[in-house]
Amino acid sequence: MSINNKSDVLARLEQREAELEVINSVQEALVSNINLEGIYDLVGERLRNLFDAQVTGIYSFDHESGLEHFQYLYEDGERLYPESRPLNSIRKWIIDNKTILHIKEDADDAIYEITGDKHVAVPGTRLPKTLLFVPLMVSDTVMGCVSLQNLDREHAFSKSDVKLLSTLTNSLSSALENARLFNETEQRNAELAVINSVQQGLVAEMDMQGIYDLVGHRIQELFDAQMVAIATFNHEDKTEEFLYYFEKGERHYPDKRPYNKTRQQVIDSKELLYIKEEAEKAIDVVPGTEPPKSLLFVPLIISDIVKGYVTLQNIDREHAFSESDVRLLSTLANSMSVALENARLFNETEQRNAELAVINSVQEGLVAEMDMQGIYDLVGNKIQDLFDSQVTAIATFNHDSKTEDFHYTFEKGERHYPDRRPYNKTRQQVIDSKELLYINENASDFIDVVPGTEPPKSLLFVPLIIGDLVKGYVTLQNIDRENAFSQSDVRLLSTLANSMSVALENARLFNETEQRNAELAVINSVQQGLVAEMDMQGIYDLVGEKIRDLFDSQVTVIANFNHESKTEDFQYFFENGKRVSPDSRSYDKIRQRLINTQRLINIEENAEEAITTITGMAPKAVPGTQFPKSMVFVPLVVGDTVRGYVSLQNLDREHAF
C-alpha cells in the first residue's frame, strides 16, 4: 500500500472517529434533555459549530394547519426568530418524498426544476448557493427537517457532511419523540390533577350558578384564551343564555339571544367544534366584545341532548389551542355536565319538597275557609309571598256578559280594586284552550293593561277550571324583566290554582246550601206570618219588611195592577230607610212587558239606557225618589194573570243582585 493510500485511510479513520465523537457527545446531551426547546437549541448550536454553513435551521411541520414553525434559525452569526408560515414547495417535496434533498449548485434553478416554484427566502435572509435538507422522521411521518445552507459558495457540503447530518438528525428525531412522549405524560398528569381538583369542587357544589362559576374561573386560569364563556340552550325558543362570560379579565353579562348557525351545528353534531383560523367569519360576535381569531366549542351533553357549551376564544392569534387543550376542556365539560345534572336533580327534589310544603299549608287553610272572598285573599296573599312578581291577580268570568271581576289584585305592594270590565282576547284564549298561558317576553303586546297599572314584561295565566268550564284565572306578572317565571313556578302555581278551584266550588256549594236553608227559613217564617194575617195591607207590610231585611237594596217596592185603568198602586215602597207613599200612576212599558211575559226583569247595568231601549223613551223616577243603577222586577202571578210585582233596586251600584 502506498504512502498516499495510507494517508487517505488514516484521514478517513480520523474523520470517522471525529464523527463518532460528535455523535456520541450529541446523543449523551440529548439523553439528559427532555425539554423540547432545549433539544432544538443544543443540536442547533452543535451543528453551527460543526459545519461550514452560514445558515443552520431546524423546522417543525404542523400538518393540520399547513404551517412550518422555526425552532432554530441562525444566519451569519445572528439568531433569527421568524414567524410561522405556510409550508412551501420545498417542504412539501420533503414531506412527500421522505428523503434528503441536497442541492449543490444553481440552487434557485434546481428548486424550480424540482418543485416548479422559485425559491423564496425567509424574510430578512439571503438566498443560498448550496442547500441541504434532512427530514426529521417519526415512524413514517416527516415531522420537520434540518437544513444547512451556504450563502457564499456551491458544493459546500461533502458526502461525509451529509452522512453526519443524517445521523445527527436521526438522533434528534428520537430525542424529540422521547421528549414529546415525556411531556405528553407530564401534561396528562397535570391534566388529571386539574380534573381531579375540579371534580372535587363539583362534588361539593349543588348550586347551579356556583358550578358555572367554579368551572369558568378554573378554565380562565388554565387556558390561553382571552374569552371564556359557558352558555345553556333553550331549544323551545332557540335561544342561548350566558351563565359565565369573561373577556380580557372582565366579567360580562350578555342578554339572552337567539343561537346562530355555529351553535346549531354543535347541537346537531353533538361534537366539539374547533375553528382554528378566521373564526370571526363563523360566528356572530356578542355586542361590545371583540371578534376571535380562533375558537373552540365543547358541547355540554346530558342524556344525548346538547344542553349548552363551553367555549374558548383567542382574540390575538389563530391555531391557539393544542390537542391537549381540546382533550382537557372536553374532560372538564363532561365533568361539568354530570355535576349540573346532579345539581338539577338535587335542586328539583328540594324545590319539589318546598312546593309540597307550600301546597299543604295552602290546602290546610282552604279546608277551613268557606267564605269565597276569604279564599281569594288567602291564596292571593300566599302567592304574593312566594313568587317574583310585582303583579298578582285573581279574577272570575261572567260568560253571559263576557266580563271579568277582579277579586284580588296586587301591584308593587299595593292592593287595587279594578272595576268589572269586558275580557279581552288573552282571556278568551285561556277560556277556549283551558290551558295555562306563559308569555316570556314582550308581554305588554298581548294584554290590555288595567288602568292605573304598569305593563308587564312577562306574565303567566293559570285557568281556574270547575267541571269543564274556565271560571276564572290566577295571573303573575313581572314588570321589570322577561323570562321571570321558571318551570317550577308554573308547576307550583298550577297546583295552587287547582286547589283553589276545588275550594271555591266547595265554598260555593256550601254557601248555596246555606243560602237555600236561609231562603227556606225565610219562606217558612213569611208563610207562617201570612197564615195568621188576614189583613191585605198587613200582608204587604209583613212581606215588604222581610224583603228589606234580606236584600242589599235601598229601594223595596210591592205594587199591584189595575188592568182596567192600566195603573199601578204602590202597597209598599221603601227608599233609603224611609217609607214612601206614591200616588197611583199609569204603568209604563216595563210593567207592560212584565205583564205580557210573566217573567222577571233583571237590569244589571246602564239602567237608564236599558229602560230607554225597552220603552223607547228616557225613564223618569217616581217623584221624590232616585233613579236606580240596578233593579229587578219579579211578577206576582195568580192563575194566568200578573196581579202586580215586587221590585228591588240599588241606587249606588250596578250588578247588585
Side-chain angles (χ1 to χ4, degrees), residues 549-564:
D549 291 340
L550 286 170
F551 296 98
D552 177 21
S553 64
Q554 293 89 347
V555 178
T556 304
V557 179
I558 304 174
N560 58 30
F561 295 132
N562 185 325
H563 292 292
E564 290 183 7

Side-chain angles (χ1 to χ4, degrees), residues 433-600:
S433 69
K434 300 175 185 175
E435 295 180 354
L436 66 87
L437 177 64
Y438 182 20
I439 302 173
N440 294 321
E441 50 194 30
N442 301 319
S444 57
D445 296 343
F446 292 86
I447 67 167
D448 297 330
V449 179
V450 174
T453 64
E454 294 183 49
K457 291 188 175 178
S458 54
L459 59 82
L460 172 63
F461 282 90
V462 177
L464 298 171
I465 301 177
I466 298 172
D468 196 39
L469 189 64
V470 176
K471 295 285 193 176
Y473 62 86
V474 182
T475 181
L476 302 178
Q477 301 179 24
N478 193 296
I479 294 169
D480 299 329
R481 63 189 181 92
E482 297 180 332
N483 302 290
F485 309 116
S486 67
Q487 288 304 313
S488 62
D489 290 336
V490 173
R491 184 175 62 240
L492 177 55
L493 187 64
S494 298
T495 304
L496 293 177
N498 291 338
S499 298
M500 184 168 67
S501 295
V502 173
L504 287 170
E505 181 64 1
N506 291 340
R508 186 190 66 79
L509 294 172
F510 176 83
N511 291 342
E512 194 174 76
T513 302
E514 292 290 295
Q515 177 70 20
R516 186 60 181 155
N517 291 338
E519 290 172 7
L520 290 172
V522 168
I523 291 166
N524 288 334
S525 69
V526 170
Q527 287 179 333
Q528 289 170 7
L530 291 175
V531 167
E533 183 61 70
M534 287 294 115
D535 173 59
M536 293 294 288
Q537 188 59 47
I539 291 172
Y540 291 129
D541 291 345
L542 185 150
V543 175
E545 289 298 307
K546 198 66 175 176
I547 289 173
R548 201 160 61 84
D549 291 340
L550 286 170
F551 296 98
D552 177 21
S553 64
Q554 293 89 347
V555 178
T556 304
V557 179
I558 304 174
N560 58 30
F561 295 132
N562 185 325
H563 292 292
E564 290 183 7
S565 62
K566 295 190 181 235
T567 58
E568 62 180 331
D569 297 312
F570 296 98
Q571 309 300 330
Y572 185 93
F573 202 120
F574 242 86
E575 180 170 335
N576 285 335
K578 288 184 181 182
R579 183 75 177 256
V580 183
S581 302
D583 294 333
S584 297
R585 66 174 186 175
S586 299
Y587 50 68
D588 57 16
K589 290 186 178 181
I590 293 287
R591 275 68 172 178
Q592 189 63 59
R593 173 179 284 199
L594 201 64
I595 293 165
N596 294 339
T597 64
Q598 299 185 5
R599 298 181 64 182
L600 69 84

